[in-house]
Amino acid sequence: MQINLILNGTKVSADVAADTLLLDLVRSQGCASVKRGCETSNCGLCTVFLEDKPVLSCSVLAARADGKRVTTLEGLQEEAAEFGAFIADQGAEQCGFCNPGFIMNALALFREKEYPTEEEIKEYLSGNLCRCSGYEGQLRGILNFLAWKKQKQEAAE
C-alpha cells in the first residue's frame, strides 16, 4: 500500500506492506536514532512523535502515519542538543543506546509540562530502558537542565 507522510519536515511517499511497523519505515528512511529494543512496547528506545505526541513506533503500523507528521530525533537536533549536553555532563550516556528514546521522551515531557517536579520526571520516564547508568545521571541531567532553563528565563525577564 502507498502511504504519504511528513518525516522530519520532508514529504515522504513509501510503498509498505500492511504489517510494516512505523519503526521499520522510519529506519528505512535513514532515521537511525529510532532503535529496536524490546519489541514489546516496554523500553522507549523506538519513541517518535506522531503529530507531536510521543508514540512507541514498534507498536504502531506505518499505515497509521499516512497523511501525518512523524518526527524523530533527527528532526529535533537543535532542541535535543541543548538538553543532551546536560545528560552527557552527568555521565549518563555510557553506551548511548538509550539516549535517543530517552531524549525524545524528555522533550515530550518538557512540552507537556515546562517545569516538572522530580516525581513527575520519574513517572513520565519510567518506561525508558537504560542498562548502564541506573537512571541517576539522567535524573541529575534533567534537573540541572531545568534549573539552567529557569535561570536563563529569569535573566531574560
Side-chain angles (χ1 to χ4, degrees):
M1 92 181 55
Q2 192 71 27
I3 64 168
N4 298 293
L5 61 136
I6 298 174
L7 178 60
N8 296 325
T10 302
K11 289 182 181 180
V12 171
S13 184
D15 188 26
V16 299
D19 64 347
T20 300
L21 296 173
L22 184 56
L23 165 71
D24 297 318
L25 174 63
V26 297
R27 285 191 62 82
S28 76
Q29 297 296 316
C31 299
S33 71
V34 184
K35 305 256 182 5
R36 183 180 306 283
C38 65
E39 296 190 63
T40 58
S41 304
N42 288 311
C43 71
L45 297 176
C46 65
T47 302
V48 300
F49 290 165
L50 181 60
E51 295 290 310
D52 295 322
K53 299 287 184 205
V55 298
L56 299 171
S57 63
C58 75
S59 62
V60 175
L61 293 173
R64 300 237 12 224
D66 188 28
K68 297 184 177 161
R69 270 185 342 272
V70 177
T71 309
T72 68
L73 190 59
E74 286 83 358
L76 298 171
Q77 286 300 298
E78 191 174 311
E79 188 177 355
E82 189 174 65
F83 167 66
F86 284 85
I87 298 297
D89 185 53
Q90 293 299 316
E93 57 168 11
Q94 292 177 22
C95 81
F97 193 69
C98 71
N99 282 0
F102 187 85
I103 290 172
M104 289 295 289
N105 280 302
L107 293 176
L109 171 61
F110 302 151
R111 289 175 177 192
E112 193 174 300
K113 188 154 187 140
E114 189 173 11
Y115 293 104
T117 65
E118 186 172 332
E119 194 57 40
E120 289 169 327
I121 295 166
K122 288 178 180 178
E123 184 178 324
Y124 198 92
L125 300 175
S126 65
N128 283 78
L129 175 70
C130 177
R131 292 188 173 138
C132 297
S133 72
Y135 304 98
E136 289 303 313
Q138 285 102 333
L139 182 57
R140 284 192 311 269
I142 290 172
L143 294 172
N144 288 346
F145 171 74
L146 292 172
W148 170 81
K149 185 175 147 186
K150 191 171 221 170
Q151 185 179 25
K152 183 177 161 185
Q153 185 179 34
E154 288 169 356
E157 292 173 353

